[in-house]
Structure formats: C-alpha cells, structure tokens
Amino acid sequence: MLNVLGVRIHQKKRTIPFPQSEPVLPDRFRGRPQIESSRCSSGCHRCVDTCPTDAISFNSNKITIDLGRCLFCGECSAICPEQAIRYTTDYRLAVRRREELVMSSNELSLATALQEESRRLFGRSLKLREVSAAGCNACEADVNVLNTVVFDLGRFGIQFVASPRHADGILITGCVSRNMLLGLKKTYEAIPDPKIVIAVGACAISGGPFIDHPEIHNGAGAILPVDLYVPGCPPHPMTILDGLLRLLGNIR
Amino acid sequence: MNTNSICVIRNGEIIPLAHIPLISISEFRDTVIEKVASGARISAFWGQPSGKAVRLFAILAQDKYATLALLSTEVESSYPSLTPNCVQAHWFEREIAEQWSVTPTGHPWLKPIRFHPSYRTGRDPSAVTGEQIGLTDFFQVGGAEIHEVAVGPVHAGIIEPGHFRFQCHGENVYHLEISLGYQHRGIERGLMEQPAKRRIHLIECSAGDTTIGHATAYCHAIEALSGCQAPARAVFLRGIALELERLANHTGDLGALAGDVGYLPSMSYCGRIRVDFLNATALLCGSRFGRGLIRPGGISLDVDESRVKELLRHLNKASEDVTEAVELMFDSPSVLARFEGTGEITPQTCRDLGLVGPMARACGERLDVRHDFPNGIFRFSQIPISTWHTGDVFSRALVRWLEMQRSIQFIRDQLNMIPDTGLRTEIGSLPPDTLAVSMVEGWRGEICHIATTDQQGELTHYKIIDPSFHNWFGLAIALRGQQISDFPLCNKSANLSYCGHDL
C-alpha cells in the first residue's frame, strides 16, 4: 500500500493545462501548411506530382491544398525548390464544413461552436460513440489517448460510451470499407436525435491513402451529415481535442 | 523428398522466379507437410496468377538454420487441401480460396476470411466468397443449455471492428469463432493498381500502429530487388525507430492489461508513458507513429547530436517511469491472480498453429526474426530473445516487459554509435521476373512481405503477412474452457491487429 502511494507521488500530476496554456509540440511536427504562392516562380508542379493523394492543385497560379486529403507527409515541402510550402507546428485544423479544408490562403476557418440549442444540450455533457470503419488503428489510438491522464477528456464533459443508445453523437475514423457500411449506418440510426457526426482523419474525410479503392466509400461525408472535420494522418490528439472544444464553444 | 523440390534463401534476398522449383501439387503437398512436421513453420503460403492457372508459393521458415525454404506449384480450380495434415495451412488456404477461387478439397473449415469478391475474373466465387460480410455458418455447439454470445463488429471501446461468436455453457466458453474482414481496404491490390507514389503510404497504413515495422519490411524488399543498400546511418535509425515502436505499444498493452483487471494505478501511468514513447518517435520525425520516416533507400530525416541527447533524455525518463509502473503491477497479488492460468496456450498448440511474436515466446518458443533471420541493424547488433514458459496472460505480459527492457538497453547502446554516413541512396531499376522476401520482427511478431516483378521489372504482385494473420486463431483457441468474462483480458494480452489481418 505504501509502495502504491510512493509511486503515485513520484509519477506526479501529468494533466496538461489545456486550453489555459498552449501545448508544446515537437519541432518536426507537421501541422497547418504555410503556402507562399509568390515564391513559386518556376511553376514546376513537382508538389502536385509528388502528392500521394493528389491534394495539391493550382488555381490561377495559386497553390491550393485540400487538407481533407492531405496526409501531412511533407513530401511536397521536401521536393519544392522554392520552399513555397512549409508545414508549421500549428495543430489547430478542425473545421465545420468540408470546403473549408481546401486552403489557398493561409487562413483556415477554424470550427465554430454548435448552435445555441445544441450547445445547451451538449455543451456540458457530450457522449460519443466511436466507430472505426476501416481505420488503421492510428486515428483510433490518438482518439483513445484523450482518455489518458495527459488529456483527461472527462474534465470537459466529453466521454466515449459503449452503446449508441447512450450517445449524443458519433465519431468516425477510417475510410469506411464496404464491409463496415452497414455497421456504421446502423450505429448512426441507433443514436437518438438530435445527434452530431465527427469525422477524424484523412480516411474518414476523403478516403485518405485509399481514395478510390473499390473496397471503400471514400470516407464518411458521402454517407452521413458531418458536423466536424478533423484532418490529419492521424491528427495529433491536440488537434482532435481542440476541434471538440471549439465545437462545444469552450474555445473560440 | 527430392532436394530439388525446394530452394533455400535468406531474409532480405532475391531469387529469379525461374529458379524457384515448380513441382507437382502432390510433391508440393508432401514437402510442406513433411517439413512442417519436422520443425519448419509456414511463414507465407499464397497464390499469384500465372496465365490461366494460379501459382501457389510457400515459404517455410527454418528458424534453427536461419534459412527460408521456397517452393511452388500450379493449380487450376482445386487441389487436395494441406490442412488435414498440416494445421498451419488452415488460414492460408482459406485466403487462397477467397482470393483466387481455388478450392482446397477436403479443407475441414472452408469459409471466407475477409468477405470480398474473387480476384480471379470469370470464376464463380460462390463456393468460397461471402456475398455479405457476417452472413456465414458459424460453428455451433448443440444442447439445451448452450447459449451463443455475439459481439461486434462495432465494439464498446475505441477499437477496430471484428465479430466474435462465443458458444457458452453458463459462463464457460466451449468455443470462440472470430470472423474478420470488416477492415478490408484492398491494400494488396491497391499497391499494384493505384499510382506508385501511394505505395509507401498504403504500407504505412497496413497496420497503423506498426508503421515502422511494415515500412521497414517494404523498404528491405524494394532495396533487395534494386540491389541497393541503405546507408548505415539510416539502418541504425530505422532500428531505433522499430524498438521505440515496440516500447510504445508494449507499454500501452501492459497498461490496458492492468485496466482490464481493474488495477488503475498501472493503467493510468502506462497510458501516459506510452505517449512519452510515441513522443520520442515524434522527436525523430514529427509523427508519433513514425509516418514519413522510413523511405526506400534510407530515411527522410537526420538527427544531430543535440537531438540524440534529447532522445536519450526522453528515453531515460520514460524507462524510469515505466519500470516503476510495471513493477507495481507485477507486485500486486490481485493482478497476478487474474493473470496466472488465464488463457493458456500449450507449446504444442503454439507449434501446431504456427504462432509468432510475443504470443509464441510466451509459450516458451524461441522465435524472433531479429535473432533468427537478422536483417538491417540486427546484422550488426544482437538483441537476446525473451521467453517465458507458462503460455498464459501472465506470460504474455511478462514477455512484453522483458522485451521492453532489452529494447531500452538496445536503443541506449545504438544511440551512442550511429555511423556517420549519408541518409538515403537512389533506388535503381528492379530486375525482371524476380521475387524478394523481407521479414521484420514487428512488436506483434513476424512481418513478412513478398514482392514480385514482371518481365519489365515492374512490381506485379505484393503480399503482406501481418503477424496477426498467424495469431488470431491462437486467440480463439486460448479462450476454450475460459470464463467469457476473461475474454477482454485474453484479447488484450494478444492485442492483434484487425486491419493488419484484413489489409
């Protein structure tokens, strides 16, 4: 018993004081890209050719990145001779509408809060059901990690529950395989109205690296009405937490 | 047995397709059965289209001799199943039947494993492929007092989908059947059909928690084919990343095991310390899962002296914390009472099923690719095999902890002697009609990749075998005679990959 207490003291309190203070992310973390189209003088389009998910395009000489497809692999940045694309350590990436993920300037319309009535219902207690629909266990792991003492999701009133009947919404990871379509739909239908839908990761938003495989449905967007998109492959837990708190109006 | 019926290669080597013995199905069958009976293990057994026929290949790991026996045969629409004489072939034959519409006649339990249409055009798939996932004849136990429990595909926690069907008498499980395929994303076909620039990303996502393991196996295969060597510096950093991946996942598993028996202190600490190990990987490459680090020809990012020091500091702190957290758990009688004797697998069952990784080592089997078939960093630095003999949940937990201690020491040693070379070499063209075998000991066990090129030297077939492919059936067997309430504990002690199996 004394041993247990000793270890408890030694392991200390490790919950990060978010959102009161900014988290420290590794210097090599690849978050929101910084686009400087003016640097792109040669127009070599190597970034377009190298992007594994064809997330990059040119619109009247301006570089456009679809963060819904982006794997944040950084290969565009590495190949660009002019450094027109750089990845910053800004982890705040979640948005409310799919088209807001298509970035041509460096502004991202970060997620706004739910409407007043939904916030009254969910603002202090949001129960979510997680469905992995052909996720690779990276997004799942980084959602799960929010339950550890580091992030302590429960202090924000957000909890993952074991039945859709207990849930206010659904959090989807994975590209939605054909074999998970029915399971996903049934889970959604079993959640009482009103309900919200959160898509986490490039797969759930667009299909990610599996885009257009005949075995998948290119993400949740075509199947369910998504309220929050959290891009990344996988998104950093801070990105997910930031998105959830913005949706509930805890961060503005 | 004719010695010309097999050829022998080593991990990370290539062989021209023409040099692989193509023998009759009866000779193929006899050779595999005989070799497995005398101690070899089926590492891979798969089909590839060959004109109108299907060419079946088998790779038999001869762990004691560090060699791989390779043999092949051609079949049309059916062949006599190996499974009745060689249980290890069971799951492989189901996969072959589903992918290529080839019926292994006499297979005792022929049904789909992933529920997808046949890859072979113009064939009636109805015999072996399922039209809709989950609709299949589950093995049932009869009797008035027997009841059936169905779990999944969507699970209660934040985990991947799969279906479990228990045949119970009261609390006792007589039989568990595990039905997967919900995660099937078509990776093997995607590797061939989608643009080549996507390949490494598909590989990294084949099992996202084993990004480094699978990416390393892929790169070894491509490098072997092109005849290039990754620079020594890259080889060392790949090895360090592989062991960091093992540390993060083993820590997470030990914490989750503590959680499953209600021992919250170790659960909380390990959950947090796992993040510390993931952050160490992020220090190397920005991604907690090692995305973007391992690339054909080497690695993408270098480390300078200050980063090595920072990594070492991270590692030392995390290892101090995890030692305390894990020892607390192993010192607690209430934890041991739940771990010991639960979900036992005998060494004989382990060998019969061909289990790999910590699950096999927890049955006392001395199997470890790092030791038996060393490639990459393990050609220069050895890591001892960690085993325990009791085959239960305790054994699987303890083996993880023993391995972690070895990995921590290994990384500490390697960080002091990273060679000063380049990071990446160019990948040249690939030779025509050649096959490469690449094995890596991922944190779950043996990862095996097989790449084949066509006449033009383009990749024409790619096979991925995640350790979970070998081990899922072991979990089902471990549950026999257990209480159903111990399923979460047994499941977590194996912690197998759904997507790695389903691909």
Side-chain angles (χ1 to χ4, degrees), chain B residues 254-266:
Chain B
L254 288 171
L257 281 168
D260 274 345
V261 298
Y263 194 67
L264 300 186
S266 297

PDB file of all heavy atoms in Angstrom, chain B residues 254-266:
ATOM      1  N   LEU B 254       0.533  -3.229 -21.598  1.00  0.00           N
ATOM      2  CA  LEU B 254       0.650  -3.556 -20.172  1.00  0.00           C
ATOM      3  C   LEU B 254      -0.326  -2.705 -19.363  1.00  0.00           C
ATOM      4  O   LEU B 254      -0.976  -3.191 -18.437  1.00  0.00           O
ATOM      5  CB  LEU B 254       2.096  -3.348 -19.696  1.00  0.00           C
ATOM      6  CG  LEU B 254       3.094  -4.395 -20.214  1.00  0.00           C
ATOM      7  CD1 LEU B 254       4.525  -4.002 -19.874  1.00  0.00           C
ATOM      8  CD2 LEU B 254       2.790  -5.782 -19.645  1.00  0.00           C
ATOM      9  N   GLY B 255      -0.457  -1.443 -19.744  1.00  0.00           N
ATOM     10  CA  GLY B 255      -1.416  -0.564 -19.065  1.00  0.00           C
ATOM     11  C   GLY B 255      -2.841  -1.054 -19.262  1.00  0.00           C
ATOM     12  O   GLY B 255      -3.640  -1.092 -18.326  1.00  0.00           O
ATOM     13  N   ALA B 256      -3.147  -1.459 -20.491  1.00  0.00           N
ATOM     14  CA  ALA B 256      -4.509  -1.912 -20.783  1.00  0.00           C
ATOM     15  C   ALA B 256      -4.809  -3.219 -20.056  1.00  0.00           C
ATOM     16  O   ALA B 256      -5.940  -3.443 -19.611  1.00  0.00           O
ATOM     17  CB  ALA B 256      -4.686  -2.093 -22.282  1.00  0.00           C
ATOM     18  N   LEU B 257      -3.796  -4.087 -19.927  1.00  0.00           N
ATOM     19  CA  LEU B 257      -3.996  -5.330 -19.163  1.00  0.00           C
ATOM     20  C   LEU B 257      -4.309  -5.009 -17.705  1.00  0.00           C
ATOM     21  O   LEU B 257      -5.200  -5.615 -17.099  1.00  0.00           O
ATOM     22  CB  LEU B 257      -2.742  -6.206 -19.249  1.00  0.00           C
ATOM     23  CG  LEU B 257      -2.564  -7.004 -20.543  1.00  0.00           C
ATOM     24  CD1 LEU B 257      -1.166  -7.593 -20.621  1.00  0.00           C
ATOM     25  CD2 LEU B 257      -3.605  -8.113 -20.625  1.00  0.00           C
ATOM     26  N   ALA B 258      -3.570  -4.034 -17.144  1.00  0.00           N
ATOM     27  CA  ALA B 258      -3.844  -3.608 -15.776  1.00  0.00           C
ATOM     28  C   ALA B 258      -5.272  -3.085 -15.688  1.00  0.00           C
ATOM     29  O   ALA B 258      -6.009  -3.397 -14.742  1.00  0.00           O
ATOM     30  CB  ALA B 258      -2.840  -2.546 -15.335  1.00  0.00           C
ATOM     31  N   GLY B 259      -5.680  -2.312 -16.670  1.00  0.00           N
ATOM     32  CA  GLY B 259      -7.034  -1.752 -16.679  1.00  0.00           C
ATOM     33  C   GLY B 259      -8.102  -2.833 -16.735  1.00  0.00           C
ATOM     34  O   GLY B 259      -9.140  -2.740 -16.089  1.00  0.00           O
ATOM     35  N   ASP B 260      -7.820  -3.897 -17.520  1.00  0.00           N
ATOM     36  CA  ASP B 260      -8.811  -4.961 -17.677  1.00  0.00           C
ATOM     37  C   ASP B 260      -9.014  -5.780 -16.412  1.00  0.00           C
ATOM     38  O   ASP B 260     -10.015  -6.485 -16.285  1.00  0.00           O
ATOM     39  CB  ASP B 260      -8.418  -5.886 -18.837  1.00  0.00           C
ATOM     40  CG  ASP B 260      -8.927  -5.344 -20.177  1.00  0.00           C
ATOM     41  OD1 ASP B 260      -9.802  -4.452 -20.152  1.00  0.00           O
ATOM     42  OD2 ASP B 260      -8.454  -5.795 -21.230  1.00  0.00           O
ATOM     43  N   VAL B 261      -8.063  -5.727 -15.480  1.00  0.00           N
ATOM     44  CA  VAL B 261      -8.299  -6.401 -14.193  1.00  0.00           C
ATOM     45  C   VAL B 261      -8.559  -5.376 -13.087  1.00  0.00           C
ATOM     46  O   VAL B 261      -8.485  -5.693 -11.903  1.00  0.00           O
ATOM     47  CB  VAL B 261      -7.127  -7.340 -13.806  1.00  0.00           C
ATOM     48  CG1 VAL B 261      -6.970  -8.437 -14.845  1.00  0.00           C
ATOM     49  CG2 VAL B 261      -5.817  -6.591 -13.631  1.00  0.00           C
ATOM     50  N   GLY B 262      -8.829  -4.143 -13.512  1.00  0.00           N
ATOM     51  CA  GLY B 262      -9.235  -3.119 -12.550  1.00  0.00           C
ATOM     52  C   GLY B 262      -8.105  -2.574 -11.696  1.00  0.00           C
ATOM     53  O   GLY B 262      -8.344  -2.045 -10.616  1.00  0.00           O
ATOM     54  N   TYR B 263      -6.851  -2.708 -12.173  1.00  0.00           N
ATOM     55  CA  TYR B 263      -5.735  -2.161 -11.402  1.00  0.00           C
ATOM     56  C   TYR B 263      -5.373  -0.786 -11.982  1.00  0.00           C
ATOM     57  O   TYR B 263      -4.554  -0.666 -12.893  1.00  0.00           O
ATOM     58  CB  TYR B 263      -4.536  -3.119 -11.446  1.00  0.00           C
ATOM     59  CG  TYR B 263      -3.503  -2.770 -10.407  1.00  0.00           C
ATOM     60  CD1 TYR B 263      -3.769  -2.916  -9.049  1.00  0.00           C
ATOM     61  CD2 TYR B 263      -2.269  -2.264 -10.774  1.00  0.00           C
ATOM     62  CE1 TYR B 263      -2.837  -2.579  -8.094  1.00  0.00           C
ATOM     63  CE2 TYR B 263      -1.318  -1.921  -9.819  1.00  0.00           C
ATOM     64  CZ  TYR B 263      -1.617  -2.081  -8.482  1.00  0.00           C
ATOM     65  OH  TYR B 263      -0.703  -1.736  -7.528  1.00  0.00           O
ATOM     66  N   LEU B 264      -6.010   0.227 -11.464  1.00  0.00           N
ATOM     67  CA  LEU B 264      -5.970   1.536 -12.113  1.00  0.00           C
ATOM     68  C   LEU B 264      -4.630   2.270 -12.059  1.00  0.00           C
ATOM     69  O   LEU B 264      -4.315   2.999 -12.988  1.00  0.00           O
ATOM     70  CB  LEU B 264      -7.089   2.427 -11.558  1.00  0.00           C
ATOM     71  CG  LEU B 264      -8.491   1.852 -11.788  1.00  0.00           C
ATOM     72  CD1 LEU B 264      -9.552   2.846 -11.345  1.00  0.00           C
ATOM     73  CD2 LEU B 264      -8.721   1.477 -13.230  1.00  0.00           C
ATOM     74  N   PRO B 265      -3.821   2.115 -10.969  1.00  0.00           N
ATOM     75  CA  PRO B 265      -2.569   2.892 -10.973  1.00  0.00           C
ATOM     76  C   PRO B 265      -1.710   2.603 -12.208  1.00  0.00           C
ATOM     77  O   PRO B 265      -1.365   3.522 -12.954  1.00  0.00           O
ATOM     78  CB  PRO B 265      -1.864   2.438  -9.687  1.00  0.00           C
ATOM     79  CG  PRO B 265      -2.931   1.917  -8.802  1.00  0.00           C
ATOM     80  CD  PRO B 265      -3.990   1.372  -9.706  1.00  0.00           C
ATOM     81  N   SER B 266      -1.398   1.326 -12.450  1.00  0.00           N
ATOM     82  CA  SER B 266      -0.541   0.999 -13.591  1.00  0.00           C
ATOM     83  C   SER B 266      -1.215   1.355 -14.904  1.00  0.00           C
ATOM     84  O   SER B 266      -0.556   1.733 -15.873  1.00  0.00           O
ATOM     85  CB  SER B 266      -0.174  -0.483 -13.578  1.00  0.00           C
ATOM     86  OG  SER B 266       0.573  -0.765 -12.418  1.00  0.00           O
TER      87      SER B 266
END
